[in-house]
Amino acid sequence: ASPAVTGRTGPTTSETTSKKGKRAADGSVQGEIDFDLTGERRERNSLINDIRRDVARWRRGGDYAGVTPISRKLLQHWADPHRENRVLFCQREAAETAIFLTEVAGRVHGYPDWRKRLEPENEAHNAGLPRMALKMATGSGKTVVMAMLIAWQTLNKVYSSRDARFTNRFLVVAPGITIKDRLRVLQPEDAQNYYDLRDLVPADLKGGLQHARIAITNYHAFLLRDAKEIKGLAKNTRLLLKGFNKEDAFKETPKAMVSRVLRDLGGSGADKQQIIVINDEAHHCYQDRPIPATAGKLTKEESSANEEARVWFKGLQAAAKHVGIKQVFDLSATPYYLSGSGYSEGHLFPWTVSDFSLMDAIESGIVKVPRTPVDDDADHEHVTYLRLWDFVGQYLPKKAAKNRVEGWIPPRELEGALQSLHRSYSKAFAHWTKELASHGETPPVFIVVCPNTTVSKLVYDWIAGAEVVKDSEVVAYTPGTLELLSNVVDGKPLARPRTILIDSAQLESGEGMKADFKEAAGAEIAAFKAEYRLRNPGADIEKITDEELLREVMNTVGKRGKLGEQVRCVVSVSMLTEGWDANTVTHILGLRPFRSQLLCEQVVGRGLRRRSYAVNDEGHFEPEYANVYGIPFQFLPSDKPTADPRPPRPVQEVSSVEGRAHLRITFPKLDGYRVELPDEEIYLDLQSAPPFVIGPSTIPRWVEMQGVVGEAERERGDRQTYRPQQIAYALAKRILDAQFNTVDDKRPWLFPRLAVMCRQWIEQKVQVAERYDLGLLMTISEAQALAAERVWDAITRLTDRRGRLRPMLNRFDPQGSTEGVYFQTRKAVVPTEKSEVSHVTLDGKDGNTWEQLLADELELNANVAAYVKNDHLGFTIPYVHAGRTHSYVPDFLVRLKQREGDAPVHTLIIEVSGSQKSPGPTQAKATTARDSWCAAVNNHGGFGRWGYTEMTNPHEFKIRLAQAIEQLYRDGPIIGDPDLLDFAETNVTDVRSARGA
């Protein structure tokens, strides 16, 4: 490993990832795949298989014994092999299963009543609601199945009005606005209805469809609304009017809500028979159960999912109570319980009766074949771009920056993945340009799924380009890094953006977008408004909200003649909404944690809809592919039952204690350190500079992608040759911008001298391993930045004047504190009194006596105002050891009592060395913590005074603690390297005394 391309190594978690295989004698590689990447439990579902066998036996011969004449006619129509517009077998099987269970099972000799197996499950999980789940892979045609079910029920009701098994009243529920709008094709009167478009009903029966009564809504309609009279009243006034009544007279009753939702179904008197409910994306509708105390708190995302599920589920309960539900048909590609539901994530809904899995859809060619990385030449056993989050997750921001972020450098593995996938995209784009564009086809689409709005904005700007703002005005535009996806060309923004930024969750809620996201997408919105005016002359654009406009763009990606037809890249927060039916996606990059195959399948499924369903001369679909990075999608799940997991050991909740805010400790979060030099002649000292090696690292030069079927693809990396002088100029510019140029102080005259120094450094200090080249310093920004730092380190060694050390604060999260700490641990713990955090967690298998002894001393010491064990605080000290950048986590932070009213806050960092600590680069940690971290932070002046000490002998803890506290009070040598300290209050004489404490 080398300083040039390392600095961090390997995945950041202990999760199992796919490993690269060994090379055989013929040079081929067999990927060694862990088929349980997420550690989920799987069991064979006997109910689904048993029903499938009976349905296959019943189907044989095509007579469909036991059904009504109408049902038989429909079933035979769907199964007709001579139809031009054939129904896919997976669609037939789902509809056949529903019809079989309703009309045949338990009613025809030889077929048991499988509904009796569903009843106890529905009692246990659904409070008795009669639910039946049909599992169908994304892109396999769930909406067609819904239309088949509606036709079957409606036509039977028309021709046998007294048969209680059937109804012509339907409530179709979707999870959001996008799907709700798209389900209009279920209305027989719609111009694009599926009954006509897919020829689902024989000509002589089509008239009966006019009797269907269909209400389509999103689950948000189940929320009880406020009465008109109460709107605008203050909360306290409302509470006063409510008084002691349990029921809110100014809120809609559940019965009134049901009447509102079902008003389009019409009917009166005896005609008001029970309804059938069809849930689309039904995995969002479940009855959660209480979470045991040992399971810990739910995340914000999990709590939100549960709340949405309750609204949906209670809405159905209200409909069952006040109208009556004959049957609930749940359709979903992933009818599993979600994380936080009270069930294991990925636990299949036990009322699932048919299953057409994504694996089935891939093998049968109904969807694209996802190709994931299976091999590369990175210098570790894992496939870098398969589990990308493990490499980059901890380096991505979780909070928004306080100021505008400029010059963001992606973590190197992320940049490598984006560049690699863009090179692969370039091939698909070239094919589109040559073969498809002339036929009116829309371009291929590249999607990136991000964990939050902060990361999505950074990635979006890096890919597509950004505005250069000065004094609140846009003065220029920087082009995006990925050429085919850049919205800026020749220094000007394109009139029609190629890349869009979407927060699908905000758009789907129908409640408007947050101001920060609307600001981030402002340029896109303005461009699309201008285009909308051109497409719709005379239209009043002001009546269309920004949300509606962006939703239209998102929903029409890949659609000819629509607003989103020319979009090439979608950068999405969270994941693109269900129902997003773009069929032109060829490349997907997942930039978020994927802890379950459920989530992997949901995100991968967004890009698997086929562009074409035309068959070739052999009657098969031509294979289509989607290349997928960052999503550890598992092609071949095992259905072998695993042993029940052992019961977990008891856990202890550790959290910030309410009422202890006076014990709060705040601390800065640093990414590194920089040295400011006065304006003087600069020199280059290469004699003591370490070598910079370019060789094997976590960034692959090539990536092999393979699907479970079909052809593989090898992405061979950047083949461009870069000259040393070209690289020297790039390094010189980076050093000039980072170290010399500021808003008010530009020093362009230093560039030629810096360029010469960089060329000398490249020639004398850069070592290139066999089969590698200097191109890494041009293609990976982080490697280029590290090289520039090495040159700068060599330049600064011969300066005559003393450098001024400054902290490099994290731009997104510059300060942390003991507020809001919460985690669970199975470590030994000690309760606290002088800490805002409830316990001290003790490292080691059975605790750590030394840490416990120190905690006792801190509780008793009169000079200690507050302390905290540094566990789950996010407080780290960056340091370099053996050419690699690491993060050091010291043991304790201690805030001292103020001796003078206006004195700075004094905070002591304590490391307990020895005992059960693992061996490591302890000297590098201690030296950096005291001489660099403390010096930089103390020079900053905004975080008080900091000192660092080590405790190495438990018998001397009391004495050593007293000495360290006294030295910190009087700015002793524990506060930093005296040659790097420059704050006005420093006692220079005392600081320059012997170091240590």
Side-chain angles (χ1 to χ4, degrees):
S2 64
V5 294
T6 58
R8 10 180 208 89
T9 57
T12 60
T13 72
S14 60
E15 296 179 37
T16 306
T17 62
S18 174
K19 297 181 180 179
K20 291 176 278 196
K22 296 181 179 179
R23 197 167 292 277
D26 62 358
S28 63
V29 171
Q30 173 61 51
E32 177 191 333
I33 303 292
D34 173 6
F35 290 122
D36 193 13
L37 292 177
T38 54
E40 297 169 308
R41 180 182 176 190
R42 294 175 179 80
E43 295 180 353
R44 185 183 297 275
N45 189 305
S46 62
L47 176 63
I48 293 173
N49 291 329
D50 291 342
I51 293 175
R52 176 173 284 160
R53 278 193 296 270
D54 270 3
V55 170
R57 182 161 60 95
W58 168 69
R59 180 194 304 121
R60 199 172 299 129
D63 187 49
Y64 296 103
V67 299
T68 69
I70 295 296
S71 297
R72 182 176 293 109
K73 192 165 187 175
L74 287 172
L75 288 164
Q76 291 173 342
H77 178 69
W78 298 334
D80 183 358
H82 303 296
R83 290 178 45 161
E84 288 188 7
N85 194 356
R86 293 176 60 182
V87 175
L88 297 176
F89 176 77
C90 58
Q91 298 162 353
R92 275 180 53 203
E93 185 179 50
E96 286 172 348
T97 302
I99 296 172
F100 172 80
L101 291 173
T102 303
E103 299 190 44
V104 179
R107 291 184 170 90
V108 176
H109 179 70
Y111 297 107
D113 191 352
W114 296 110
R115 291 170 301 175
K116 291 182 178 178
R117 289 268 296 271
L118 294 178
E119 288 172 2
E121 300 292 0
N122 280 324
E123 284 294 335
H125 291 261
N126 297 315
L129 283 177
R131 299 181 71 177
M132 182 187 298
L134 306 173
K135 182 174 182 286
M136 297 189 68
T138 298
S140 61
K142 293 193 298 293
T143 310
V144 173
V145 175
M146 294 180 202
M148 295 165 77
L149 294 176
I150 290 172
W152 158 61
Q153 280 281 322
T154 300
L155 295 174
N156 270 291
K157 190 63 178 177
V158 169
Y159 288 93
S160 303
S161 60
R162 295 182 179 275
D163 195 330
R165 293 175 297 177
F166 305 110
T167 183
N168 67 334
R169 305 175 78 225
F170 304 90
L171 173 62
V172 183
V173 189
I177 296 173
T178 297
I179 300 179
K180 175 191 171 185
D181 293 344
R182 195 155 291 133
L183 292 177
R184 288 181 309 217
V185 296
L186 297 177
Q187 298 282 10
E189 63 272 18
D190 189 85
Q192 298 295 316
N193 76 82
Y194 271 11
Y195 312 101
D196 293 336
L197 201 63
R198 301 302 304 273
D199 187 25
L200 297 181
V201 179
D204 59 330
L205 296 180
K206 281 188 179 178
L209 285 176
Q210 303 309 314
H211 295 275
R213 298 291 178 264
I214 305 169
I216 303 174
T217 188
N218 50 325
Y219 78 88
H220 306 81
F222 292 146
L223 289 165
L224 303 181
R225 297 178 179 176
D226 286 337
K228 293 180 180 178
E229 295 80 4
I230 202 69
K231 289 182 179 178
L233 288 183
K235 182 180 179 181
N236 288 337
T237 305
R238 181 169 183 164
L239 291 173
L240 184 64
L241 292 172
K242 181 181 176 183
F244 295 100
N245 297 323
K246 289 185 179 179
E247 303 226 349
D248 189 343
F250 296 100
K251 187 175 281 291
E252 190 177 39
T253 65
K255 185 176 181 179
M257 177 273 293
V258 172
S259 297
R260 168 173 53 81
V261 171
L262 301 181
R263 72 164 66 99
D264 292 340
L265 298 188
S268 61
D271 189 41
K272 280 195 171 182
Q273 77 266 16
Q274 292 182 329
I275 65 171
I276 277 183
V277 175
I278 299 177
N279 287 331
D280 196 6
E281 306 297 349
H283 53 276
H284 292 293
C285 176
Y286 55 83
Q287 184 174 229
D288 60 312
R289 63 180 181 181
I291 305 294
T294 54
K297 291 183 178 178
L298 298 179
T299 65
K300 184 178 179 181
E301 187 176 356
E302 290 169 343
S303 297
S304 176
N306 282 345
E307 184 57 37
E308 292 167 1
R310 287 186 205 115
V311 171
W312 194 331
F313 188 83
K314 288 179 179 178
L316 296 186
Q317 283 185 306
K321 178 179 179 181
H322 299 292
V323 176
I325 293 178
K326 193 177 295 296
Q327 183 68 58
V328 179
F329 291 111
D330 291 328
L331 284 97
S332 172
T334 53
Y336 306 112
Y337 277 109
L338 303 177
S339 173
S341 63
Y343 297 89
S344 299
E345 183 175 18
H347 179 77
L348 184 71
F349 285 172
W351 58 94
T352 306
V353 296
S354 74
D355 180 4
F356 185 72
S357 68
L358 184 54
M359 186 65 200
D360 295 327
I362 293 169
E363 288 184 326
S364 57
I366 290 174
V367 298
K368 292 187 178 104
V369 178
R371 292 191 293 208
T372 57
V374 296
D375 195 18
D376 60 37
D377 68 338
D379 189 27
H380 54 83
E381 62 179 348
H382 302 294
V383 182
T384 302
Y385 298 155
L386 178 64
R387 204 65 177 265
L388 185 63
W389 184 259
D390 289 351
F391 291 87
V392 305
Q394 67 173 326
Y395 303 104
L396 295 173
K398 296 171 181 60
K399 297 180 180 179
K402 291 185 176 179
N403 301 312
R404 187 181 180 90
V405 177
E406 295 179 0
W408 177 69
I409 299 176
R412 61 187 180 218
E413 295 86 1
L414 172 57
E415 182 172 7
L418 285 165
Q419 295 278 18
S420 172
L421 209 53
H422 181 254
R423 287 190 291 268
S424 175
Y425 174 85
S426 300
K427 298 177 185 177
F429 189 84
H431 172 74
W432 169 77
T433 303
K434 182 179 179 182
E435 304 289 343
L436 303 176
S438 59
H439 298 286
E441 296 282 347
T442 56
V445 174
F446 184 128
I447 63 177
V448 183
V449 178
C450 298
N452 56 55
T453 53
T454 302
V455 173
S456 67
K457 176 59 175 169
L458 293 172
V459 171
Y460 169 76
D461 286 347
W462 188 88
I463 290 175
E467 300 171 339
V468 178
V469 178
K470 186 175 182 180
D471 298 329
S472 301
E473 291 187 7
V474 178
V475 296
Y477 295 90
T478 58
T481 310
L482 304 184
E483 182 182 2
L484 291 176
L485 309 179
S486 177
N487 289 339
V488 179
V489 176
D490 296 331
K492 297 179 181 180
L494 295 172
R496 178 181 290 181
R498 297 168 177 169
T499 297
I500 62 173
L501 177 63
I502 293 293
D503 185 339
S504 53
Q506 290 187 26
L507 293 180
E508 279 298 288
S509 68
E511 298 173 357
M513 295 181 293
K514 295 178 183 175
D516 57 347
F517 180 79
K518 193 176 289 191
E519 181 182 355
E524 296 173 63
I525 293 171
F528 284 119
K529 279 184 175 179
E531 185 177 351
Y532 188 89
R533 289 189 183 96
L534 292 176
R535 290 174 181 264
N536 303 275
D540 187 356
I541 189 68
E542 302 307 323
K543 289 185 178 179
I544 300 175
T545 66
D546 293 341
E547 293 84 354
E548 290 171 336
L549 195 66
L550 271 187
R551 192 181 299 116
E552 173 67 12
V553 174
M554 178 181 72
N555 291 342
T556 58
V557 169
K559 304 289 193 305
R560 297 189 203 182
K562 302 291 185 179
L563 211 53
E565 66 176 338
Q566 293 301 318
V567 170
R568 301 179 187 176
C569 178
V570 180
V571 180
S572 171
V573 184
S574 188
M575 63 183 179
L576 288 159
T577 181
E578 287 130 332
W580 190 66
D581 65 346
N583 61 6
T584 51
V585 176
T586 56
H587 294 77
I588 305 172
L589 189 139
L591 184 57
R592 59 165 295 165
F594 290 93
R595 298 190 178 93
S596 73
Q597 284 302 310
L598 167 61
L599 188 56
C600 292
E601 183 170 335
Q602 288 176 329
V603 177
V604 169
R606 299 297 181 269
L608 298 189
R609 295 183 187 274
R610 292 181 59 89
R611 184 189 279 265
S612 170
Y613 288 91
V615 296
N616 57 22
D617 294 338
E618 285 130 23
H620 299 144
F621 295 142
E622 287 291 343
E624 296 183 14
Y625 299 95
N627 293 341
V628 181
Y629 281 12
I631 305 175
F633 180 65
Q634 186 174 319
F635 286 117
L636 298 173
S638 168
D639 58 5
K640 295 180 180 178
T642 58
D644 288 336
R646 295 180 180 179
R649 289 183 293 164
V651 297
Q652 172 67 52
E653 291 187 350
V654 179
S655 62
S656 302
V657 180
E658 190 174 349
R660 291 191 185 180
H662 63 288
L663 299 176
R664 184 161 302 155
I665 296 176
T666 59
F667 51 85
K669 293 185 176 182
L670 270 61
D671 288 337
Y673 322 92
R674 61 185 176 88
V675 179
E676 290 182 353
L677 291 176
D679 190 8
E680 59 183 25
E681 184 62 36
I682 55 177
Y683 301 92
L684 182 68
D685 174 20
L686 293 178
Q687 185 174 358
S688 57
F692 188 95
V693 182
I694 296 177
S697 74
T698 58
I699 310 165
R701 291 178 305 157
W702 55 262
V703 181
E704 185 86 27
M705 290 172 280
Q706 177 70 60
V708 69
V709 294
E711 299 177 358
E713 178 182 328
R714 173 169 286 204
E715 198 288 295
R716 299 183 180 277
D718 184 5
R719 294 303 181 189
Q720 183 175 347
T721 301
Y722 296 92
R723 295 176 291 105
Q725 190 66 20
Q726 186 179 1
I727 297 171
Y729 281 3
L731 294 179
K733 182 179 185 305
R734 183 175 285 275
I735 294 171
L736 189 67
D737 290 341
Q739 305 295 341
F740 294 101
N741 288 345
T742 64
V743 175
D744 302 316
D745 184 14
K746 306 288 184 183
R747 307 183 191 182
W749 57 86
L750 291 177
F751 180 81
R753 176 74 176 132
L754 289 172
V756 171
M757 291 178 175
C758 291
R759 180 63 184 265
Q760 292 172 344
W761 178 82
I762 291 171
E763 292 172 347
Q764 298 182 41
K765 288 300 176 181
V766 176
Q767 300 174 4
V768 182
E770 187 179 354
R771 301 195 310 277
Y772 288 80
D773 56 58
L774 293 171
L776 180 83
L777 301 182
M778 294 297 288
T779 58
I780 302 298
S781 301
E782 188 178 296
Q784 187 183 99
L786 188 58
E789 288 179 15
R790 293 290 184 271
V791 178
W792 178 243
D793 288 343
I795 290 174
T796 59
R797 284 200 166 83
L798 285 180
T799 55
D800 295 325
R801 302 181 189 178
R802 185 164 60 91
R804 299 189 290 271
L805 192 65
R806 295 290 182 264
M808 295 171 62
L809 296 173
N810 186 291
R811 290 181 288 183
F812 304 97
D813 194 13
Q815 182 171 293
S817 78
T818 53
E819 181 183 13
V821 172
Y822 176 85
F823 62 93
Q824 293 182 324
T825 183
R826 291 191 171 91
K827 296 179 181 179
V829 298
V830 177
T832 65
E833 292 184 9
K834 277 190 179 181
S835 176
E836 185 178 16
V837 178
S838 59
H839 296 79
V840 168
T841 55
L842 305 176
D843 295 325
K845 182 180 178 182
D846 300 310
N848 188 316
T849 307
W850 288 22
E851 290 180 350
Q852 185 171 354
L853 288 172
L854 180 60
D856 292 340
E857 289 295 337
L858 294 172
E859 290 281 357
L860 296 172
N861 192 291
N863 288 311
V864 173
Y867 75 98
V868 67
K869 174 67 189 297
N870 184 24
D871 195 344
H872 287 75
L873 293 185
F875 175 69
T876 61
I877 293 176
Y879 74 102
V880 177
H881 176 70
R884 302 170 185 250
T885 302
H886 303 270
S887 293
Y888 163 39
V889 182
D891 290 317
F892 287 88
L893 299 181
V894 181
R895 175 162 59 81
L896 306 184
K897 290 184 177 178
Q898 286 185 271
R899 289 186 173 176
E900 300 174 12
D902 58 348
V905 174
H906 289 75
T907 309
L908 181 64
I909 304 169
I910 301 180
E911 172 70 19
V912 180
S913 301
S915 182
Q916 299 181 22
K917 295 283 182 184
S918 355
T922 53
Q923 187 59 46
K925 293 179 183 179
T927 302
T928 303
R930 180 185 58 243
D931 295 342
S932 297
W933 193 95
C934 287
V937 171
N938 288 332
N939 286 339
H940 181 277
F943 299 100
R945 193 82 77 247
W946 288 74
Y948 174 87
T949 189
E950 291 180 273
M951 298 288 181
T952 56
N953 186 340
H955 300 293
E956 299 177 356
F957 277 1
K958 186 172 184 177
I959 297 173
R960 297 281 290 175
L961 179 61
Q963 290 175 344
I965 289 173
E966 192 57 37
Q967 291 215 36
L968 181 55
Y969 273 134
R970 58 187 179 87
D971 290 341
I974 68 171
I975 69 169
D977 184 342
D979 292 330
L980 296 175
L981 288 167
D982 63 352
F983 57 89
E985 297 83 2
T986 302
N987 183 335
V988 177
T989 304
D990 193 53
V991 167
R992 295 180 181 274
S993 62
R995 296 178 185 170

